[in-house]
Amino acid sequence: MTTTLSVENLRVSIPLSAGVLHAVRGISFEVARGETLCLVGESGCGKSLTSLALMNLLPSRAKREADRISFDGADLLKLGERGMAKVRGNTMAMIFQEPMTSLNPAYTIGNQLEEGIRLHKNVSAKEARERAIYLLEKVGITAAASRLGQYPHQLSGGLRQRVMIAMALMCGPDLLICDEPTTALDVTIQAQILHLIKDLQREFDMAVILITHDLGVVARVADRVAVMYAGEIIESGVVGEIFSRPTHPYTQGLMNCIPVPGKTRQGERLGTIPGIVPSMIGEMTGCAFANRCAYAQDICLQPLTTHDIVPGHAVRCARAEEVLALTAGSNQAGTIQSGSPA
Amino acid sequence: MLVYTAKRLLLAILVSLTVSALVFSLLYLSGDPATALAGERANEADIQAIKAAYGFDQPVYVQYFKWLGGAVQGEFGQSVYFRMPVIDLIVERLPVTMMLGVSAMIFALVLAIPLGVLAAMYQNSLIDRAALLLAVVGQAMPSFWFALMLIVVFAYWVPILPASGSDSWEHFVLPTIVLGYYATPAFMRLTRTGLLDVLSSDYVRTARAKGLSPAMVLFKHALRNAIIPVVSLAAVQFGFMLTGSIIIETVFALHGAGFLAWESISRSDFPTVQAVLLLFSWFYIILTFLADLLNAWLNPRIRVA
């Protein structure tokens, strides 16, 4: 598999009156053609900012730094705004969380679908229109040709998200970034949209980065998973490995929050992770999760590195092996709740 | 769109009727019109004669319908002072007022929209502050005083423009600036607020994610949505400008319909005052109606309303 995107030590910081908010604190990952990488984490962990940083669409006061962001062999850090505009919507496309508000209410679906491809590829109006109809049909929209003349307010949320997906695929991107694409949709529509993204990925052989807080979504679509906490990737690996052997206490805590059919008894309380996410303003040494972790010891406050516990399964935890040994067998169940927050 | 247009039209007609009743009743607000017309030294017989001549002896509703019936056909009766049909007076004077209104509107929009866009794009910058200052000054300054200041500067100190009259385009420059400047701040602030709102919207982010140029994002995706409230305001402001023209035309002695209204009020020329008021109101209603249609075209979501 060829690597489509490779990110090294990406940092996003936002200067505030109270100090500098380090929203993304040195993360590295890569994603290959045909592969789906899921970035998982709770609200505010920096996953959406990561995606915006890749597109260089961060809010103007946010600052992006990285050692390297290599995409299709080119270093995105060296591209100016002009060069980036040629990448955006062309080889790297994005779908957003809010299908209801992500389409411009003043223009028809057709107009919004076609403008990107007319800009990036040298195609005629007719060719752009044919491509739009082809993709609308691909994303499962019936009577595609007549939809082109419709306005966003005439479509349901599920249909709008399908339009957004078709729009992202207009130029045949190498990388598709999906930022919580199903969060705003009904559960039944969610499943359809996820299926659709998977199918299209196979058909167009794209790399996909899917950002979500929903582990159910991860289990369904991911090839590899990166769990984010407080702006860092704290655990990453192939999906089976992460689900069968969650190692970082935070990942374990997340797993405990999901009800398991047949295992979680009726009326039983679901797991919670005690404590709150630390302030991300200013510098932080040691493990960001230490103040909530049942296994935290003095070593956790020392600077730490990410290391592999088995090849391809990386954990950012100083006591990863010990935690794994302690929780082996019992796994998941109830280890974290018993601990009191520091 | 057809249903929407029909609904708006019906509403416009109802409002016109209400306004016409109000305008008509103004005649009786200042006491008995016949006594006022007859003058101080008139006796009872004179007043009765005037009542008969002007139809004041008929029931009020009959007078109203007769007057309204005439008005829709462009028949507003005789001017008491000029002794000629009111409609002829207005036809003669209206072009001046329209010219002033349109040029002031163009002046205001051409000044306000680019300033509003700049203020939004460079929020909290020097440009934004300067635009804000301009807005505050514009709103706070009485237009008659501004008019007098402009006359002092451009007709007296640096005599490059005429101070009064309506013979050439030069006579319209100062009145246009005064009337237009008065409307500028509202347009500018609304453009700025609307654009700031739209620039942080999800669909602008989508447009940027497509790789569109900043100019495309601004002019195609953002400005069209931001300008919608400005269109509504423009119709309302044009109405205000017509009313404002009564003062401005008086200061600059522009012989327009506004000046005519002022003259007629001071001469108790009821038919003329009524006609000018009614026409200004109708004009205002038609503009609002057109603004509604324009808005529906700009914003597809309201077409169904």
Side-chain angles (χ1 to χ4, degrees), chain A residues 52-109:
Chain A
L52 290 175
L54 295 178
M55 296 280 278
N56 202 12
L57 283 179
L58 288 167
S60 52
R61 62 204 165 96
K63 195 169 140 211
R64 176 184 81 166
E65 290 169 302
D67 293 351
R68 203 163 61 92
I69 303 177
S70 151
F71 176 66
D72 281 344
D75 191 348
L76 295 190
L77 293 173
K78 297 206 177 92
L79 290 180
E81 181 49 39
R82 217 169 252 239
M84 210 41 225
K86 287 196 184 113
V87 171
R88 260 184 233 137
N90 186 11
T91 49
M92 186 192 286
M94 190 161 176
I95 305 167
F96 298 98
Q97 182 175 357
E98 306 84 5
M100 301 310 281
T101 50
S102 290
L103 289 163
N104 192 327
Y107 293 99
T108 60
I109 303 300

Short mmCIF file of all heavy atoms in Angstrom, two decimals, chain A residues 52-109:
data_model
loop_
_atom_site.label_atom_id
_atom_site.label_comp_id
_atom_site.label_asym_id
_atom_site.label_seq_id
_atom_site.Cartn_x
_atom_site.Cartn_y
_atom_site.Cartn_z
N LEU A 52 -8.85 20.18 10.11
CA LEU A 52 -8.78 21.52 9.50
C LEU A 52 -7.33 21.92 9.25
O LEU A 52 -7.03 22.60 8.27
CB LEU A 52 -9.47 22.55 10.40
CG LEU A 52 -10.99 22.42 10.49
CD1 LEU A 52 -11.56 23.42 11.49
CD2 LEU A 52 -11.65 22.65 9.12
N ALA A 53 -6.43 21.47 10.12
CA ALA A 53 -5.01 21.78 9.94
C ALA A 53 -4.48 21.13 8.66
O ALA A 53 -3.67 21.72 7.94
CB ALA A 53 -4.21 21.32 11.15
N LEU A 54 -4.96 19.92 8.38
CA LEU A 54 -4.50 19.24 7.15
C LEU A 54 -4.92 20.04 5.92
O LEU A 54 -4.17 20.18 4.97
CB LEU A 54 -5.10 17.84 7.07
CG LEU A 54 -4.66 16.85 8.15
CD1 LEU A 54 -5.37 15.52 7.96
CD2 LEU A 54 -3.15 16.66 8.09
N MET A 55 -6.14 20.57 5.96
CA MET A 55 -6.65 21.34 4.83
C MET A 55 -6.13 22.79 4.85
O MET A 55 -6.41 23.57 3.95
CB MET A 55 -8.18 21.40 4.88
CG MET A 55 -8.87 20.07 4.73
SD MET A 55 -8.96 19.53 3.02
CE MET A 55 -10.38 20.42 2.42
N ASN A 56 -5.45 23.14 5.94
CA ASN A 56 -5.04 24.52 6.20
C ASN A 56 -6.25 25.46 6.18
O ASN A 56 -6.24 26.53 5.59
CB ASN A 56 -3.98 25.00 5.21
CG ASN A 56 -3.19 26.18 5.75
OD1 ASN A 56 -3.29 26.49 6.93
ND2 ASN A 56 -2.43 26.83 4.89
N LEU A 57 -7.29 25.04 6.86
CA LEU A 57 -8.51 25.84 6.96
C LEU A 57 -8.77 26.25 8.40
O LEU A 57 -9.89 26.53 8.78
CB LEU A 57 -9.72 25.04 6.46
CG LEU A 57 -9.88 24.89 4.95
CD1 LEU A 57 -11.11 24.04 4.64
CD2 LEU A 57 -10.01 26.25 4.29
N LEU A 58 -7.72 26.28 9.21
CA LEU A 58 -7.88 26.64 10.61
C LEU A 58 -8.37 28.08 10.73
O LEU A 58 -8.14 28.89 9.84
CB LEU A 58 -6.54 26.50 11.34
CG LEU A 58 -6.05 25.08 11.58
CD1 LEU A 58 -4.59 25.12 12.02
CD2 LEU A 58 -6.89 24.39 12.64
N PRO A 59 -9.04 28.40 11.82
CA PRO A 59 -9.40 29.81 12.06
C PRO A 59 -8.13 30.65 12.02
O PRO A 59 -7.05 30.17 12.39
CB PRO A 59 -9.98 29.80 13.48
CG PRO A 59 -10.32 28.38 13.78
CD PRO A 59 -9.48 27.52 12.90
N SER A 60 -8.27 31.90 11.59
CA SER A 60 -7.07 32.68 11.29
C SER A 60 -6.14 32.85 12.49
O SER A 60 -4.93 32.95 12.35
CB SER A 60 -7.46 34.05 10.74
OG SER A 60 -8.38 34.65 11.61
N ARG A 61 -6.69 32.87 13.72
CA ARG A 61 -5.78 33.09 14.85
C ARG A 61 -5.08 31.82 15.30
O ARG A 61 -4.13 31.86 16.07
CB ARG A 61 -6.51 33.77 16.00
CG ARG A 61 -7.64 32.96 16.57
CD ARG A 61 -8.67 33.83 17.26
NE ARG A 61 -9.86 33.06 17.47
CZ ARG A 61 -10.14 32.43 18.60
NH1 ARG A 61 -9.32 32.52 19.62
NH2 ARG A 61 -11.22 31.70 18.71
N ALA A 62 -5.54 30.65 14.82
CA ALA A 62 -4.88 29.40 15.19
C ALA A 62 -3.59 29.25 14.38
O ALA A 62 -3.52 29.63 13.22
CB ALA A 62 -5.81 28.22 14.93
N LYS A 63 -2.56 28.68 15.05
CA LYS A 63 -1.27 28.54 14.38
C LYS A 63 -0.96 27.06 14.16
O LYS A 63 -1.12 26.25 15.07
CB LYS A 63 -0.21 29.19 15.27
CG LYS A 63 1.09 29.43 14.55
CD LYS A 63 1.99 30.31 15.41
CE LYS A 63 3.41 29.80 15.32
NZ LYS A 63 4.18 30.03 16.53
N ARG A 64 -0.56 26.75 12.94
CA ARG A 64 -0.24 25.35 12.62
C ARG A 64 1.27 25.18 12.48
O ARG A 64 1.93 25.95 11.80
CB ARG A 64 -0.91 24.98 11.29
CG ARG A 64 -0.57 23.58 10.81
CD ARG A 64 -1.17 23.31 9.46
NE ARG A 64 -0.37 23.89 8.39
CZ ARG A 64 -0.53 23.56 7.10
NH1 ARG A 64 -1.48 22.72 6.74
NH2 ARG A 64 0.22 24.12 6.18
N GLU A 65 1.79 24.15 13.15
CA GLU A 65 3.21 23.83 12.98
C GLU A 65 3.33 22.33 12.82
O GLU A 65 2.49 21.59 13.33
CB GLU A 65 4.00 24.24 14.22
CG GLU A 65 4.14 25.74 14.41
CD GLU A 65 4.69 26.05 15.78
OE1 GLU A 65 4.09 25.65 16.78
OE2 GLU A 65 5.75 26.68 15.85
N ALA A 66 4.35 21.89 12.12
CA ALA A 66 4.58 20.45 12.00
C ALA A 66 5.98 20.25 11.47
O ALA A 66 6.59 21.17 10.90
CB ALA A 66 3.57 19.83 11.05
N ASP A 67 6.53 19.06 11.68
CA ASP A 67 7.82 18.76 11.10
C ASP A 67 7.65 18.49 9.61
O ASP A 67 8.45 18.91 8.78
CB ASP A 67 8.45 17.55 11.79
CG ASP A 67 8.82 17.88 13.24
OD1 ASP A 67 8.73 19.08 13.59
OD2 ASP A 67 9.15 16.96 14.00
N ARG A 68 6.56 17.80 9.28
CA ARG A 68 6.32 17.49 7.88
C ARG A 68 4.86 17.06 7.72
O ARG A 68 4.30 16.37 8.55
CB ARG A 68 7.24 16.34 7.44
CG ARG A 68 7.51 16.29 5.94
CD ARG A 68 8.72 15.40 5.69
NE ARG A 68 8.45 14.04 6.16
CZ ARG A 68 7.95 13.09 5.38
NH1 ARG A 68 7.68 13.33 4.11
NH2 ARG A 68 7.74 11.87 5.86
N ILE A 69 4.22 17.51 6.65
CA ILE A 69 2.92 16.95 6.28
C ILE A 69 3.06 16.56 4.82
O ILE A 69 3.01 17.41 3.93
CB ILE A 69 1.77 17.97 6.43
CG1 ILE A 69 1.69 18.49 7.87
CG2 ILE A 69 0.43 17.32 6.06
CD1 ILE A 69 0.63 19.55 8.09
N SER A 70 3.29 15.30 4.60
CA SER A 70 3.54 14.88 3.22
C SER A 70 2.28 14.26 2.63
O SER A 70 1.68 13.35 3.22
CB SER A 70 4.70 13.88 3.25
OG SER A 70 4.59 12.99 2.19
N PHE A 71 1.87 14.80 1.51
CA PHE A 71 0.62 14.35 0.87
C PHE A 71 0.88 14.11 -0.61
O PHE A 71 1.33 15.03 -1.31
CB PHE A 71 -0.47 15.39 1.08
CG PHE A 71 -1.76 15.06 0.38
CD1 PHE A 71 -2.51 13.96 0.77
CD2 PHE A 71 -2.22 15.86 -0.67
CE1 PHE A 71 -3.69 13.65 0.12
CE2 PHE A 71 -3.40 15.55 -1.31
CZ PHE A 71 -4.14 14.44 -0.92
N ASP A 72 0.62 12.91 -1.07
CA ASP A 72 0.89 12.55 -2.47
C ASP A 72 2.32 12.92 -2.86
O ASP A 72 2.57 13.41 -3.97
CB ASP A 72 -0.10 13.26 -3.41
CG ASP A 72 -1.45 12.56 -3.44
OD1 ASP A 72 -1.53 11.39 -2.99
OD2 ASP A 72 -2.42 13.18 -3.92
N GLY A 73 3.23 12.76 -1.92
CA GLY A 73 4.64 13.03 -2.22
C GLY A 73 5.07 14.47 -2.08
O GLY A 73 6.25 14.77 -2.14
N ALA A 74 4.13 15.41 -1.87
CA ALA A 74 4.51 16.81 -1.73
C ALA A 74 4.38 17.23 -0.27
O ALA A 74 3.58 16.67 0.48
CB ALA A 74 3.59 17.68 -2.58
N ASP A 75 5.22 18.19 0.14
CA ASP A 75 5.13 18.68 1.51
C ASP A 75 4.16 19.85 1.57
O ASP A 75 4.41 20.92 1.04
CB ASP A 75 6.52 19.10 2.00
CG ASP A 75 6.51 19.36 3.50
OD1 ASP A 75 5.40 19.43 4.09
OD2 ASP A 75 7.61 19.48 4.09
N LEU A 76 3.02 19.63 2.23
CA LEU A 76 1.99 20.67 2.28
C LEU A 76 2.46 21.93 3.00
O LEU A 76 1.97 23.02 2.73
CB LEU A 76 0.73 20.14 2.98
CG LEU A 76 -0.03 19.01 2.29
CD1 LEU A 76 -1.35 18.77 2.98
CD2 LEU A 76 -0.26 19.31 0.82
N LEU A 77 3.44 21.76 3.91
CA LEU A 77 3.93 22.93 4.64
C LEU A 77 4.62 23.92 3.71
O LEU A 77 4.69 25.10 3.99
CB LEU A 77 4.90 22.50 5.74
CG LEU A 77 4.29 21.68 6.87
CD1 LEU A 77 5.38 21.17 7.78
CD2 LEU A 77 3.30 22.51 7.65
N LYS A 78 5.14 23.38 2.61
CA LYS A 78 5.88 24.26 1.69
C LYS A 78 4.97 24.90 0.65
O LYS A 78 5.38 25.79 -0.08
CB LYS A 78 6.99 23.46 0.99
CG LYS A 78 8.01 22.94 1.98
CD LYS A 78 9.37 22.72 1.31
CE LYS A 78 10.41 22.26 2.31
NZ LYS A 78 10.49 20.79 2.41
N LEU A 79 3.73 24.41 0.56
CA LEU A 79 2.80 25.01 -0.40
C LEU A 79 2.27 26.31 0.18
O LEU A 79 1.91 26.39 1.34
CB LEU A 79 1.62 24.08 -0.66
CG LEU A 79 1.88 22.80 -1.45
CD1 LEU A 79 0.59 22.03 -1.60
CD2 LEU A 79 2.47 23.12 -2.81
N GLY A 80 2.19 27.33 -0.65
CA GLY A 80 1.58 28.57 -0.19
C GLY A 80 0.05 28.44 -0.23
O GLY A 80 -0.48 27.36 -0.52
N GLU A 81 -0.62 29.52 0.05
CA GLU A 81 -2.08 29.51 0.03
C GLU A 81 -2.59 29.12 -1.36
O GLU A 81 -3.54 28.38 -1.52
CB GLU A 81 -2.58 30.90 0.45
CG GLU A 81 -4.08 31.07 0.50
CD GLU A 81 -4.81 29.95 1.26
OE1 GLU A 81 -4.29 29.50 2.29
OE2 GLU A 81 -5.89 29.54 0.80
N ARG A 82 -1.88 29.58 -2.38
CA ARG A 82 -2.27 29.30 -3.75
C ARG A 82 -2.13 27.81 -4.09
O ARG A 82 -3.00 27.20 -4.68
CB ARG A 82 -1.37 30.11 -4.70
CG ARG A 82 -2.06 30.64 -5.90
CD ARG A 82 -1.12 31.62 -6.54
NE ARG A 82 -1.60 32.96 -6.34
CZ ARG A 82 -1.88 33.77 -7.36
NH1 ARG A 82 -1.69 33.35 -8.59
NH2 ARG A 82 -2.32 34.98 -7.15
N GLY A 83 -1.00 27.26 -3.65
CA GLY A 83 -0.76 25.84 -3.88
C GLY A 83 -1.75 24.99 -3.12
O GLY A 83 -2.25 23.97 -3.62
N MET A 84 -2.08 25.43 -1.91
CA MET A 84 -3.02 24.70 -1.06
C MET A 84 -4.41 24.71 -1.69
O MET A 84 -5.16 23.73 -1.61
CB MET A 84 -3.03 25.39 0.31
CG MET A 84 -3.31 24.50 1.49
SD MET A 84 -2.54 22.89 1.51
CE MET A 84 -3.94 21.91 2.00
N ALA A 85 -4.76 25.84 -2.33
CA ALA A 85 -6.08 25.95 -2.96
C ALA A 85 -6.23 24.92 -4.07
O ALA A 85 -7.32 24.46 -4.36
CB ALA A 85 -6.30 27.36 -3.49
N LYS A 86 -5.09 24.56 -4.69
CA LYS A 86 -5.15 23.56 -5.76
C LYS A 86 -5.34 22.15 -5.20
O LYS A 86 -5.79 21.26 -5.89
CB LYS A 86 -3.86 23.61 -6.59
CG LYS A 86 -3.80 24.83 -7.47
CD LYS A 86 -2.74 24.66 -8.55
CE LYS A 86 -2.62 25.93 -9.37
NZ LYS A 86 -1.32 26.59 -9.16
N VAL A 87 -4.94 21.97 -3.94
CA VAL A 87 -5.09 20.66 -3.29
C VAL A 87 -6.50 20.49 -2.76
O VAL A 87 -7.16 19.48 -2.96
CB VAL A 87 -4.06 20.52 -2.14
CG1 VAL A 87 -4.33 19.27 -1.33
CG2 VAL A 87 -2.65 20.51 -2.71
N ARG A 88 -6.95 21.54 -2.08
CA ARG A 88 -8.27 21.52 -1.45
C ARG A 88 -9.40 21.24 -2.44
O ARG A 88 -9.50 21.91 -3.46
CB ARG A 88 -8.55 22.90 -0.85
CG ARG A 88 -8.31 22.98 0.61
CD ARG A 88 -8.71 24.37 1.07
NE ARG A 88 -7.61 24.96 1.80
CZ ARG A 88 -7.21 26.21 1.67
NH1 ARG A 88 -7.80 27.01 0.81
NH2 ARG A 88 -6.22 26.65 2.39
N GLY A 89 -10.22 20.30 -2.09
CA GLY A 89 -11.39 20.02 -2.93
C GLY A 89 -11.01 19.29 -4.20
O GLY A 89 -11.87 18.85 -4.95
N ASN A 90 -9.72 19.16 -4.45
CA ASN A 90 -9.26 18.50 -5.66
C ASN A 90 -8.71 17.12 -5.31
O ASN A 90 -9.39 16.11 -5.51
CB ASN A 90 -8.20 19.40 -6.32
CG ASN A 90 -7.76 18.88 -7.66
OD1 ASN A 90 -8.38 17.97 -8.20
ND2 ASN A 90 -6.71 19.44 -8.21
N THR A 91 -7.50 17.09 -4.72
CA THR A 91 -6.96 15.79 -4.33
C THR A 91 -7.25 15.46 -2.87
O THR A 91 -7.15 14.32 -2.46
CB THR A 91 -5.43 15.76 -4.57
OG1 THR A 91 -4.87 16.93 -4.00
CG2 THR A 91 -5.12 15.72 -6.04
N MET A 92 -7.57 16.51 -2.08
CA MET A 92 -7.92 16.28 -0.68
C MET A 92 -9.27 16.94 -0.44
O MET A 92 -9.42 18.15 -0.59
CB MET A 92 -6.86 16.93 0.23
CG MET A 92 -7.07 16.61 1.70
SD MET A 92 -6.05 17.66 2.77
CE MET A 92 -4.43 16.98 2.54
N ALA A 93 -10.27 16.13 -0.13
CA ALA A 93 -11.61 16.68 0.03
C ALA A 93 -12.13 16.39 1.43
O ALA A 93 -11.61 15.51 2.12
CB ALA A 93 -12.55 16.11 -1.01
N MET A 94 -13.14 17.13 1.82
CA MET A 94 -13.60 17.02 3.19
C MET A 94 -15.12 17.06 3.28
O MET A 94 -15.78 17.78 2.54
CB MET A 94 -13.00 18.18 3.99
CG MET A 94 -13.21 18.05 5.47
SD MET A 94 -12.04 19.11 6.35
CE MET A 94 -12.62 18.84 8.01
N ILE A 95 -15.65 16.26 4.20
CA ILE A 95 -17.08 16.27 4.50
C ILE A 95 -17.24 16.71 5.94
O ILE A 95 -16.49 16.27 6.81
CB ILE A 95 -17.69 14.86 4.35
CG1 ILE A 95 -17.41 14.30 2.97
CG2 ILE A 95 -19.18 14.89 4.61
CD1 ILE A 95 -17.72 12.82 2.90
N PHE A 96 -18.23 17.56 6.18
CA PHE A 96 -18.36 18.11 7.53
C PHE A 96 -19.51 17.49 8.30
O PHE A 96 -20.35 16.77 7.77
CB PHE A 96 -18.53 19.62 7.44
CG PHE A 96 -17.37 20.30 6.81
CD1 PHE A 96 -17.39 20.65 5.47
CD2 PHE A 96 -16.23 20.57 7.55
CE1 PHE A 96 -16.31 21.26 4.87
CE2 PHE A 96 -15.15 21.18 6.96
CZ PHE A 96 -15.18 21.53 5.62
N GLN A 97 -19.51 17.87 9.56
CA GLN A 97 -20.48 17.31 10.49
C GLN A 97 -21.90 17.80 10.25
O GLN A 97 -22.86 17.08 10.47
CB GLN A 97 -20.04 17.69 11.91
CG GLN A 97 -20.92 17.14 12.99
CD GLN A 97 -20.36 17.46 14.36
OE1 GLN A 97 -19.29 18.05 14.49
NE2 GLN A 97 -21.07 17.08 15.39
N GLU A 98 -22.06 19.04 9.82
CA GLU A 98 -23.39 19.64 9.81
C GLU A 98 -23.95 19.72 8.39
O GLU A 98 -23.82 20.75 7.74
CB GLU A 98 -23.34 21.06 10.41
CG GLU A 98 -22.73 21.14 11.79
CD GLU A 98 -21.22 21.23 11.79
OE1 GLU A 98 -20.62 21.31 10.69
OE2 GLU A 98 -20.63 21.19 12.86
N PRO A 99 -24.60 18.67 7.92
CA PRO A 99 -25.12 18.73 6.55
C PRO A 99 -26.19 19.80 6.39
O PRO A 99 -26.40 20.32 5.30
CB PRO A 99 -25.70 17.33 6.33
CG PRO A 99 -25.95 16.79 7.69
CD PRO A 99 -24.92 17.40 8.58
N MET A 100 -26.88 20.16 7.49
CA MET A 100 -27.97 21.12 7.37
C MET A 100 -27.46 22.51 7.01
O MET A 100 -28.16 23.28 6.38
CB MET A 100 -28.78 21.20 8.68
CG MET A 100 -29.40 19.89 9.13
SD MET A 100 -30.33 19.04 7.85
CE MET A 100 -31.85 19.97 7.88
N THR A 101 -26.25 22.83 7.47
CA THR A 101 -25.79 24.20 7.26
C THR A 101 -24.55 24.28 6.36
O THR A 101 -24.04 25.36 6.12
CB THR A 101 -25.42 24.85 8.62
OG1 THR A 101 -24.56 23.95 9.32
CG2 THR A 101 -26.66 25.09 9.45
N SER A 102 -24.09 23.12 5.88
CA SER A 102 -22.84 23.15 5.11
C SER A 102 -23.04 23.46 3.63
O SER A 102 -22.08 23.62 2.89
CB SER A 102 -22.10 21.82 5.25
OG SER A 102 -21.60 21.71 6.56
N LEU A 103 -24.30 23.52 3.20
CA LEU A 103 -24.57 23.90 1.81
C LEU A 103 -25.09 25.33 1.78
O LEU A 103 -25.83 25.75 2.68
CB LEU A 103 -25.61 22.95 1.20
CG LEU A 103 -25.11 21.53 0.94
CD1 LEU A 103 -26.28 20.59 0.74
CD2 LEU A 103 -24.20 21.49 -0.27
N ASN A 104 -24.70 26.06 0.76
CA ASN A 104 -25.12 27.45 0.65
C ASN A 104 -26.60 27.53 0.26
O ASN A 104 -26.99 27.01 -0.78
CB ASN A 104 -24.26 28.16 -0.40
CG ASN A 104 -24.44 29.67 -0.36
OD1 ASN A 104 -25.52 30.16 -0.05
ND2 ASN A 104 -23.39 30.39 -0.65
N PRO A 105 -27.42 28.17 1.11
CA PRO A 105 -28.87 28.20 0.85
C PRO A 105 -29.23 28.96 -0.43
O PRO A 105 -30.33 28.77 -0.95
CB PRO A 105 -29.44 28.91 2.08
CG PRO A 105 -28.30 29.68 2.65
CD PRO A 105 -27.08 28.87 2.35
N ALA A 106 -28.35 29.78 -0.94
CA ALA A 106 -28.71 30.66 -2.06
C ALA A 106 -28.47 30.03 -3.43
O ALA A 106 -28.88 30.58 -4.44
CB ALA A 106 -27.94 31.97 -1.95
N TYR A 107 -27.81 28.88 -3.47
CA TYR A 107 -27.50 28.30 -4.78
C TYR A 107 -28.04 26.88 -4.89
O TYR A 107 -28.18 26.17 -3.90
CB TYR A 107 -25.99 28.28 -5.01
CG TYR A 107 -25.41 29.66 -5.13
CD1 TYR A 107 -24.80 30.28 -4.05
CD2 TYR A 107 -25.53 30.37 -6.33
CE1 TYR A 107 -24.30 31.57 -4.16
CE2 TYR A 107 -25.03 31.66 -6.44
CZ TYR A 107 -24.41 32.25 -5.36
OH TYR A 107 -23.92 33.52 -5.47
N THR A 108 -28.29 26.48 -6.12
CA THR A 108 -28.82 25.12 -6.33
C THR A 108 -27.72 24.10 -6.06
O THR A 108 -26.53 24.40 -6.08
CB THR A 108 -29.30 24.94 -7.78
OG1 THR A 108 -28.20 25.16 -8.65
CG2 THR A 108 -30.44 25.89 -8.12
N ILE A 109 -28.19 22.86 -5.82
CA ILE A 109 -27.27 21.75 -5.60
C ILE A 109 -26.31 21.63 -6.78
O ILE A 109 -25.10 21.47 -6.60
CB ILE A 109 -28.09 20.43 -5.50
CG1 ILE A 109 -29.12 20.53 -4.38
CG2 ILE A 109 -27.20 19.23 -5.31
CD1 ILE A 109 -28.53 20.79 -3.04
#
